[in-house]
Amino acid sequence: MSELRIEARQLCKNYGSLVAVDQLSFEVGTGEVLGFLGPNGAGKSTTMKMLTGFLAPSSGTALINGHDIVTDSLAARRCIGYLPEGAPSYGEMTVRAFLEFVARARGFAGKRALNAAGAAIERLNLQGVVEQPIETLSKGFKRRVGLAQSIIHDPQVLILDEPTDGLDPNQKHEVRHLIRDMAEEKIIVISTHLLEEVHAVCNRAMIIADGRLLVDDTPAGLIARSRYHDAVTLVVEQPERVASVLSELPQARKVELREGELTVFPAPGQRLFEVVSDTVRENRWAVAELRLEAGRLDEVFRQITRGEVS
Amino acid sequence: MSNFTSPVSNVLRRELAGYFATPVAWVFIVIFLVMAAAFTFYIGAFYDRGIADLDPFFTFHPWLYLFLVPAMAMRLWAEERRSGTIELLLTLPVTLWQAVLGKFLAAWLFVGLALLLTFPVWLTVNYLGDPDNGVIAAGYIGSWLMAGGFLAIGCCMSAVTRNQVVAFILSVVVCFGFLVSGLPMVMDLFSSWAPQPLLDAIAEFSFLAHFSTISRGVIDLRDLVYFALVMVVWLLANTMVLEMKKAD
């Protein structure tokens, strides 16, 4: 069996003079859960619409398991399960009728269509609402119907546009759990503007802004780009005095005091935590809190997408 | 089923079921039947004529279709665009042409059903007299073909915009143009400057002329080909419009 792959080759999409996606090239392989991150209007959805065959690229192309999305669109679409943004569905249909329609469109005939729909209903826990018209369901259920529709043919490639947008925390947790469950044998591409989501489900993240790929890294790698990475934050009494002592440490590059929190940044290649905690003990400072910072994803995101340094 | 027809019939079945899941089907059928009857018996003076045929019935079909068919067609693509389901539909392994055809056929079958439900008129005329049922059958076929022509125009206009009211108005206007293109009010626009062959061609476009020959009981191959061509051309236009505008 050949390795599953998505291969985007210099994908471009222009709307008149507006460049929505600009020379996007990347590869994704089995087992990867790729998160498209970016501000609104960055080109995430447009890229997904091109990968799924909804929009034709202005130039460039992509291969889904070797099927070209431009010249062999139907074969490419057969490999893909897609949840469009907002999880649209035919509101007047019942959940069961809708899923059976999608199953038949996916090539299941007769009894097999019913079975495929039934399996998807079970997987998404929709048993309680199968006979209800979709328009009468809550947002969370609608999203689950959309997800059920996307996995009905057990696709090798799953493309989900903002799968948890507008869901409550429990529903978000459920959807993420489902995505992680399926990740091993598939390629999953999700788009999101939620940084926590990348952290929760993705093992690779691409930051896109103005249609261009800015960063392609693991979530951990992204966090490590934060200036807070490996910094130490304390909450102490008399922070000014403590700050002046800590800034004398050879391992510290800089000390910042913000809203009662004192953050010590390490000099390049230095580990701070042990040194700081030793210093605290020696001076018998009253410390309410002492923690090692992993990094701040939101700060990295801002820095990359706006070239801003906080 | 083959690889081509099974997606078409899948889309067709979904659409048809959709009509009956919403008030669209019932409103359309009831209004169509009531208006058809009212036109036939009052304006058409069905009884007073004393002739056992369905001429007064079929005469008003073009004018009924002029408003009812665009009203039915306006949501076909505009609604898919508004709700975003077009993205779902067209990323399934279904070609654009299959989707267009499935939607059109569903609507056309539905209009056919409404037409069949006018059978009490046929029963009445057979009860009252001894009509030529061959002519009546031809009238039904002609009426259904003409409805198909209106519907194909309506489908295409529905793809032009996501606003259903705009789609409705556009298709009424275009349908009206096709309906009356043989009549003086259109011909006078062209007759002063257009060459005779063009005038003849425009007159040939008239739905009314082709429909009236069929409904007189003359099923001429040219009339059948005409309506078939109208449908195919407008559905192809529908496909192209969607291809160009599906992202908007």
Side-chain angles (χ1 to χ4, degrees), chain A residues 15 49 52-55 74 77-78 82 84 88-90 92-93 98 101-102 104-106 149, chain B residues 10-11 13-14 18 21-22 80 83-95 246-247:
Chain A
Y15 296 107
K49 284 173 186 176
T52 53
F54 182 62
L55 293 181
L74 281 192
R77 284 188 231 167
R78 285 198 184 94
Y82 178 40
S89 55
Y90 295 102
E92 81 282 357
M93 298 180 90
F98 174 66
F101 162 72
V102 174
R104 276 192 293 270
R106 289 289 182 189
Q149 161 279 124
Chain B
N10 190 28
V11 172
R13 282 163 59 185
R14 198 209 71 73
T22 58
E80 294 260 356
S83 69
T85 45
I86 189 169
E87 202 172 330
L88 186 86
L89 181 63
L90 298 182
T91 53
L92 292 171
V94 173
T95 64
K246 62 188 176 186

Side-chain angles (χ1 to χ4, degrees), chain B residues 171-189:
Chain B
S171 47
V172 169
V173 168
V174 175
C175 288
F176 185 69
F178 267 79
L179 196 53
V180 300
S181 65
L183 300 184
M185 64 181 286
V186 173
M187 297 312 287
D188 287 352
L189 282 177

Side-chain angles (χ1 to χ4, degrees), chain A residues 1-20:
Chain A
M1 207 188 94
S2 66
E3 189 79 340
L4 296 176
R5 279 156 88 78
I6 297 179
E7 204 181 324
R9 293 180 182 163
Q10 301 186 316
L11 272 179
C12 290
K13 184 73 191 176
N14 312 324
Y15 296 107
S17 62
L18 180 85
V19 182

